[in-house]
Amino acid sequence: MNLVSMDFAGYTMGASDLIPLLPLIVLTAASVWVMMAIGVKRNYAFALYSTVTGLLLALLMAHGLMLRPEFAAMPLLGMDSYAQFFTVLICAAAIGVCLLGHNYWSEFDDQREEFLLLLLLATLGAVVLAGANHFASLLLGLEILGMSLYGMLAYPVQSRQHKGHALEATIKYLILSAVSTAMILFGVALVFAETGSLAFSGLENLPAGPGIAFSTLALLLISAGIAFKLSLFPFHIWTPDVYEGAPAPASAFLATIGKLAVFIVLLRIVVETRALGMAPVVIVFSLLALLSIIAGNLLALLQDNLKRILAYSSIAHMGYLLIAIIASFYSDGPIGIEAVSFYLLAYVVMTLGAFGVVALVSSHAGERDGIADYQGLFWRRPWLAASFTGMLLSLAGIPLTAGFIGKFYLILAGVESGLWLLLGALVAGSGIGLYYYLRIVYRMLLPEPENAPALEQGSAGFAVVLALFVLLIVFGVYPASLMHLIEAIAL
Amino acid sequence: MILTLLIALLFLGGLLAWFSERINPAWPRWVALGVLALELLLMLGLLGATPENGWLAEYNRAWLPRFGISLHFAADGLSLLLLLLTAFLGIVAVGSAWNEITGRVGFFYFNLLWTLAGVVGIFTALDLFLFFFFWEVMLIPMYFIIAIWGHENKFYAAKKFFIFTQVSGLLMLVAIAVLAWFHYLQLGFFSFDYFDLLNVRMNRGMEMWVMLGFFIGFATKLPSAPFHNWLPDAHSQAPSAGSIILAGVLLKTGAYGLIRFAVPLFPTAAAEFAPVAMTLAAISILYCAKVAFAQADLKRLIAYTSVSHMGFVTLGVYAWNELALQGAVMTMLAHGLSSAALFMLAGGLQHRIHTRNMFEMGGFWGRVPRMSAVAMFFSIAALGMPGLGNFIGEFLSLLGAFQANPLLTIVSAFGLIFASVYSLWVMQKVFQGKYAGDAFDGSGLRDLDNREMAFYAAMMLGLLWMGVYPQFFLDLSAPTLQALLDGQLGQSLMGVARP
């Protein structure tokens, strides 16, 4: 304990310091509340309302605190505008997953309430990550998020109707996640040995002269661990299996909030400490981006399973995002940071929307995630199919959608820093990406099959998908106010 | 204001057409026809406007102030000519789809109108981001038109069309971003406005690369060899209305982009690049004419001839003198009409006898004299017979190009001879010779009805007008072209909206 105390030298916590932490406090209280409510009497509707209310409260508080710079950094958690902005996003996405899950679990033959509890806890972990500016809080956040996700991914294993591979998915995620955390820990230990500090700002003091090999090793270990969590090539192997095996709401959570939270930390580390400045690190990151874009897109071509396609395409999208991270290292302008912020938001909207459609079409008893399951969806459920098409076109970066503005930001950031090779990969990757996105769209346009099973109408989940679709179009056509906000919250 | 109205009308009309299907399946086509007729009237109204600084109408409003992006639309004579072509061919496309499209009617006309909305946006946008926005917006509905209502290999064709245009478009987006970035470096603020970006100066190497980004984007759409690969597939698989819009209007957006953006924004690099572009044009003209001759599929053949004819446009643009540019614009207009008519004919024929294979046809003149006569007219127009629009266009562009590069012009002129060869060959194969037998007796091979004749007659009149009295069109486009040549385009009517 004494070891880390120097990061807190001269710091005493006052009551006013609790104000920026309000979203975290609300989320914690909501978790305890839901747990106790379940303990007293199982009532799914009550648990759901409590969860959504808790998330909504946290969201509103974060929103209120968003443009209040007077509540600035503390040594462990810097709940600044940047963190509060992403807290809003995380809570909103979590509400979306909740409502999608409501539809998915409606006929579940096992207890449903604990999924909400796990979801609240995982959200708490993600919010901690959004504010982390210290390796202790980074690990804390990662573990709260990870531990809850194990439970969410394996949730239906006790159900007799479950025919999927949720357990396999969880074990894979558990082992690889543990390995990656261990790598981060090792890297952090090396950093600490060198600088005597666990705050992110301590990275500035890593020796660049004779001790550079040591510093580089430390940074590379941390990078590799983060690359595992973000499923960047070549640390991506777990992603498709986990996405496919897990229940759709859990996959949706992992794919959106799970990725988002880690990316927020990564951006903060890169922007605030110039850690990429260690010579080989930026080269490694460029390679990771390049390979992720190419491999993610190429591997997605071979898939017939929607969740696997989304998994591989998410690998490519993480590669696109890294371009902006690298750009924010090369140039001092804020465009790189804004690009990451906008693209992350667009990514959450479109990925949640795409998984939302899968969750709506599937149920706990069986995932309907083969491309063939979507044949003729356009003529059976026009609005659902139109929303799905919108999500896919947004992932492909076509105008009228938020994904296009995001891609435009990335290109601008890349141009600003002259990353021509990576921009070339972006263009090529988008071209390949179109192929598999259009394949899905085309399937939906085909005449519907003769003996198509009836689709249930989930009103809450459907509303979420439609709302996401509207957001997608609004951010794609008139993003001026959002751009203004993102400019204001940039680190 | 009128320009935003033109675009909004098409977007809203598309939605209206889609939803009107629920009331009555016959309504969407009437809605589409009404909307397009209204568009045409509004555009004709613009003919009477008095130009200020050469612009007939302008609209400018901030859109994304963070990057100095605005909703900046403006139309001059050049835009207006192409707008008129767009609305006119839109009506023709509705006419050709009238009875041919029977499934999901509402969604079809929705896509048709949205494609045209994108095209109108392209011809009027003066903000490069806005231009790119519309450039991509028109792809999606066109993809749907090919993928849903196309023929046997539609998915492959639709996908190829989309991926080719999208990838080349992204290269253009990167180039636009670089241009805007240089503007930021030199003037300290972001702008995507055409008039601002005209003043950006870059070093020689960079200017060439950025220009190439634009060129690839436009040359893919035009298309020019070696980027023409998507076109034969897209054309042969699309329904007739889709082919009409593709050949008549969408290809012209590429040519318009070259004239409006690729050359004026990068005068030095474009001048250096001109010999290469003109060589590619000559290759397009000759090679695609040769390939057209080898086709058995009627629509593929017409598609290749389109590439060949568009070669004259590239040739004219990169010669960059007034004669050649006038020729390029005339070729765009005339080819718009003649290729649309030929695709409509081929589509009509396929609708009747369910094949596009010319080797199964023959001697149709006796059975369908009206159709044969119409085909004869448009074949002759396409091969460049004096008295019709195509001749004026191709002749002017050759005349202008000769001043710039005599050798390539002489080579390209052989394209006219090849055009005669394949056009007459088609006529002989399909309409003359021995009647292809009883195979088609039971099929729906019937002559053109009055509705179809009316559309063909309108296009014939247009081509005759262009051929006999081209001065009307030349006068409209001359001020724009003259200003482009002098580099005098740097003034806007309303000034630039700045945050």
Side-chain angles (χ1 to χ4, degrees):
Chain A
M1 201 58 217
N2 304 341
L3 287 174
V4 290
S5 61
M6 65 168 275
D7 294 338
F8 301 89
Y11 178 75
T12 48
M13 196 158 176
S16 67
D17 287 336
L18 289 179
I19 297 175
L21 296 178
L22 275 174
L24 282 165
I25 296 171
V26 169
L27 283 175
T28 318
S31 316
V32 175
W33 171 257
V34 171
M35 184 182 72
M36 292 202 304
I38 296 172
V40 174
K41 184 176 188 315
R42 283 194 179 273
N43 181 337
Y44 179 69
F46 183 73
L48 182 68
Y49 288 134
S50 306
T51 310
V52 173
T53 313
L55 288 169
L56 205 58
L57 264 178
L59 184 154
L60 290 175
M61 283 173 177
H63 185 262
L65 290 164
M66 191 154 60
L67 296 174
R68 303 281 293 277
E70 68 266 28
F71 302 119
M74 282 178 289
L76 210 52
L77 285 171
M79 295 301 284
D80 47 10
S81 305
Y82 172 80
Q84 303 287 8
F85 171 78
F86 281 109
T87 305
V88 171
L89 185 56
I90 289 168
C91 291
I95 294 175
V97 175
C98 257
L99 297 178
L100 289 170
H102 173 61
N103 191 54
Y104 185 89
W105 302 116
S106 57
E107 312 264 313
F108 191 48
D109 61 340
D110 198 359
Q111 313 294 2
R112 294 182 284 172
E113 290 81 4
E114 276 82 356
F115 188 79
L116 298 170
L117 183 55
L118 289 168
L119 188 143
L120 265 177
L121 283 170
T123 312
L124 178 66
V127 174
V128 169
L129 281 177
N133 59 7
H134 191 278
F135 281 113
S137 46
L138 168 76
L139 286 163
L140 195 67
L142 274 182
E143 285 311 290
I144 300 177
L145 178 64
M147 293 291 175
S148 324
L149 270 173
Y150 306 148
M152 287 167 75
L153 296 175
Y155 203 71
V157 278
Q158 294 292 335
S159 157
R160 256 182 252 103
Q161 301 160 337
H162 178 66
K163 298 186 203 72
H165 305 279
L167 194 59
E168 180 199 326
T170 316
I171 300 282
K172 275 187 179 153
Y173 185 64
L174 173 70
I175 293 173
L176 287 173
S177 181
V179 169
S180 66
T181 309
M183 285 164 86
I184 296 180
L185 265 175
F186 191 20
V188 170
L190 291 179
V191 170
F192 185 73
E194 200 60 54
T195 65
S197 165
L198 280 178
F200 289 168
S201 52
L203 290 175
E204 300 274 20
N205 305 327
L206 277 177
I212 185 146
F214 199 78
S215 317
T216 310
L217 181 64
L219 287 174
L220 286 184
L221 277 168
I222 296 175
S223 309
I226 287 179
F228 253 119
K229 304 273 183 200
L230 292 175
S231 63
L232 291 164
F233 187 90
F235 305 103
H236 67 286
I237 11 167
W238 58 273
T239 322
D241 292 342
V242 172
Y243 280 24
E244 187 190 2
S251 304
F253 193 96
L254 176 61
T256 54
I257 301 177
K259 295 277 172 72
L260 172 67
V262 180
F263 226 104
I264 301 168
V265 180
L266 179 62
L267 182 63
R268 193 190 283 276
I269 295 178
V270 169
V271 172
E272 291 193 342
T273 71
R274 323 294 301 158
L276 285 183
M278 291 285 161
V281 180
V282 72
I283 298 172
V284 167
F285 266 86
S286 306
L287 270 178
L288 285 178
L290 193 68
L291 293 173
S292 299
I293 293 172
I294 294 169
N297 278 315
L298 285 179
L299 290 170
L301 288 177
L302 310 171
Q303 306 302 325
D304 280 321
N305 180 298
L306 211 69
K307 279 154 112 191
R308 290 185 84 86
I309 291 179
L310 287 173
Y312 282 114
S313 98
S314 86
I315 295 169
H317 280 278
M318 290 299 128
Y320 300 152
L321 267 163
L322 267 194
I323 295 179
I325 293 259
I326 297 162
S328 64
F329 163 72
Y330 276 113
S331 61
D332 285 325
I335 295 184
I337 305 167
E338 289 174 48
V340 175
S341 306
F342 194 99
Y343 203 90
L344 276 177
L345 191 143
Y347 175 77
V348 167
V349 171
M350 56 208 188
T351 310
L352 193 59
F355 271 105
V357 174
V358 178
L360 275 182
V361 174
S362 309
S363 73
H364 70 282
E367 300 280 323
R368 275 216 270 282
D369 50 7
I371 293 191
D373 294 330
Y374 293 80
Q375 182 155 335
L377 193 69
F378 233 101
W379 319 116
R380 295 158 76 191
R381 299 281 302 275
W383 283 105
L384 190 64
S387 308
F388 198 23
T389 307
M391 302 301 163
L392 293 171
L393 291 178
S394 180
L395 285 166
I398 308 292
L400 289 178
T401 63
F404 167 66
I405 307 283
K407 200 159 270 178
F408 169 69
Y409 258 117
L410 292 185
I411 288 179
L412 211 55
V415 164
E416 186 188 8
S417 307
L419 307 172
W420 306 118
L421 184 64
L422 287 174
L423 283 177
L426 175 81
V427 171
S430 303
I432 306 171
L434 262 178
Y435 182 90
Y436 54 82
Y437 295 127
L438 289 182
R439 230 177 107 211
I440 307 172
V441 174
Y442 181 66
R443 264 307 169 120
M444 294 195 287
L445 291 173
L446 284 179
E448 54 189 287
E450 292 285 318
N451 47 359
L455 287 177
E456 293 157 42
Q457 191 92 19
S459 51
F462 188 47
V464 171
V465 171
L466 276 188
L468 288 169
F469 182 55
V470 171
L471 278 182
L472 193 79
I473 303 292
V474 169
F475 292 154
V477 174
Y478 192 69
S481 48
L482 182 65
M483 283 176 161
H484 186 69
L485 178 65
I486 279 175
E487 201 183 353
I489 60 106
L491 280 171
Chain B
M1 204 59 221
I2 181 150
L3 297 173
T4 43
L5 181 69
L6 284 178
I7 295 170
L9 197 62
L10 285 169
F11 277 125
L12 295 177
L15 288 175
L16 187 68
W18 193 357
F19 289 114
S20 69
E21 187 190 9
R22 299 196 175 183
I23 306 171
N24 186 336
W27 280 17
R29 53 192 191 188
W30 284 107
V31 171
L33 192 62
V35 167
L36 287 167
L38 193 57
E39 290 272 316
L40 194 59
L41 281 179
L42 286 171
M43 289 169 187
L44 286 173
L46 269 181
L47 271 179
T50 39
E52 283 179 63
N53 274 338
W55 300 101
L56 298 164
E58 189 169 4
Y59 177 86
N60 198 348
R61 178 77 50 88
W63 180 24
L64 304 175
R66 172 73 181 90
F67 295 112
I69 295 167
S70 50
L71 294 169
H72 190 177
F73 299 100
D76 54 8
L78 175 64
S79 314
L80 185 59
L81 278 177
L82 292 165
L83 287 179
L84 287 168
L85 180 74
T86 306
F88 179 69
L89 287 182
I91 294 175
V92 171
V94 172
S96 94
W98 202 263
N99 290 328
E100 193 183 314
I101 302 295
T102 48
R104 331 252 188 233
V105 194
F107 193 48
F108 178 82
Y109 289 103
F110 165 81
N111 284 317
L112 189 68
L113 291 182
W114 275 49
T115 310
L116 294 176
V119 174
V120 170
I122 287 171
F123 287 147
T124 52
L126 278 192
D127 181 287
L128 268 83
F129 184 86
L130 188 68
F131 173 79
F132 182 80
F133 188 82
F134 283 111
W135 184 262
E136 300 269 291
V137 159
M138 75 180 172
L139 293 186
I140 310 160
M142 198 64 211
Y143 168 82
F144 281 133
I145 289 182
I146 301 175
I148 301 180
W149 294 275
H151 303 305
E152 66 282 352
N153 206 2
K154 54 193 177 184
F155 179 49
Y156 173 74
K159 190 178 62 194
K160 198 167 171 183
F161 160 73
F162 202 125
I163 292 178
F164 262 74
T165 353
Q166 164 74 10
V167 171
S168 62
L170 271 181
L171 287 177
M172 186 163 73
L173 182 62
V174 173
I176 292 174
V178 175
L179 197 57
W181 177 245
F182 268 85
H183 183 270
Y184 179 79
L185 286 182
Q186 285 165 16
L187 288 132
F189 62 95
F190 273 111
S191 174
F192 284 79
D193 198 274
Y194 181 56
F195 298 116
D196 284 344
L197 295 181
L198 278 172
N199 302 321
V200 173
R201 292 287 160 262
M202 284 182 270
N203 60 41
R204 193 158 157 265
M206 193 50 123
E207 186 178 348
M208 184 57 90
W209 281 110
V210 178
M211 196 278 300
L212 277 179
F214 277 80
F215 179 77
I216 291 175
F218 295 136
T220 306
K221 196 58 146 268
L222 193 62
S224 165
F227 307 105
H228 65 286
N229 206 290
W230 59 273
L231 184 119
D233 290 304
H235 271 302
S236 55
Q237 299 304 323
S240 329
S243 299
I244 291 170
I245 297 296
L246 261 177
V249 183
L250 254 60
L251 305 193
K252 309 303 177 283
T253 60
Y256 173 81
L258 287 179
I259 296 178
R260 176 79 78 199
F261 298 107
V263 181
L265 285 171
F266 316 100
T268 329
E272 267 179 60
F273 185 68
V276 181
M278 289 174 83
T279 310
L280 288 178
I283 293 173
S284 294
I285 294 172
L286 298 179
Y287 171 73
C288 289
K290 156 91 181 57
V291 176
F293 187 67
Q295 300 302 314
D297 181 327
L298 191 53
K299 275 185 146 185
R300 277 188 94 83
L301 185 149
I302 305 171
Y304 276 110
T305 70
S306 279
V307 185
S308 175
H309 288 300
M310 292 312 278
F312 287 103
V313 177
T314 322
L315 197 67
V317 171
Y318 278 91
W320 204 246
N321 54 52
E322 189 171 2
L323 269 181
L325 281 173
Q326 291 280 23
V329 174
M330 279 307 285
T331 308
M332 283 157 73
L333 297 174
H335 175 261
L337 292 185
S338 67
S339 66
L342 286 172
F343 274 117
M344 192 167 161
L345 270 168
L349 208 53
Q350 183 181 12
H351 188 59
R352 287 166 164 82
I353 61 176
H354 306 289
T355 178
R356 302 189 302 268
N357 189 344
M358 288 193 297
F359 291 98
E360 295 175 15
M361 308 176 191
F364 285 174
W365 200 299
R367 285 288 303 274
V368 285
R370 277 172 154 192
M371 188 186 238
S372 313
V374 168
M376 190 75 195
F377 180 91
F378 287 110
S379 301
I380 283 178
L383 67 79
M385 175 71 80
L388 298 172
N390 305 54
F391 168 74
I392 305 286
E394 285 169 16
F395 181 69
L396 283 178
S397 58
L398 286 173
L399 211 56
F402 191 77
Q403 301 171 8
N405 195 329
L407 179 66
L408 282 172
T409 313
I410 292 168
V411 174
S412 303
F414 281 95
L416 289 173
I417 298 174
F418 288 179
S420 317
V421 174
Y422 59 66
S423 299
L424 296 177
W425 188 71
V426 171
M427 283 309 296
Q428 282 192 346
K429 199 81 211 143
V430 178
F431 294 101
Q432 293 171 334
K434 192 168 170 292
Y435 181 50
D438 309 327
F440 296 118
D441 275 344
S443 73
L445 185 57
R446 55 174 195 285
D447 213 348
L448 299 176
D449 56 28
N450 289 336
R451 180 179 53 82
E452 289 171 305
M453 275 311 281
F455 285 112
Y456 289 118
M459 288 190 272
M460 286 176 180
L461 282 178
L463 284 176
L464 264 175
W465 185 8
M466 288 177 203
V468 179
Y469 186 64
Q471 200 58 40
F472 172 78
F473 303 92
L474 300 179
D475 284 346
L476 255 177
S477 60
T480 308
L481 299 178
Q482 198 56 54
L484 283 170
L485 285 169
D486 300 345
Q488 293 288 313
L489 259 184
Q491 304 122 351
S492 132
L493 227 74
M494 297 167 58
V496 181
R498 290 263 151 70

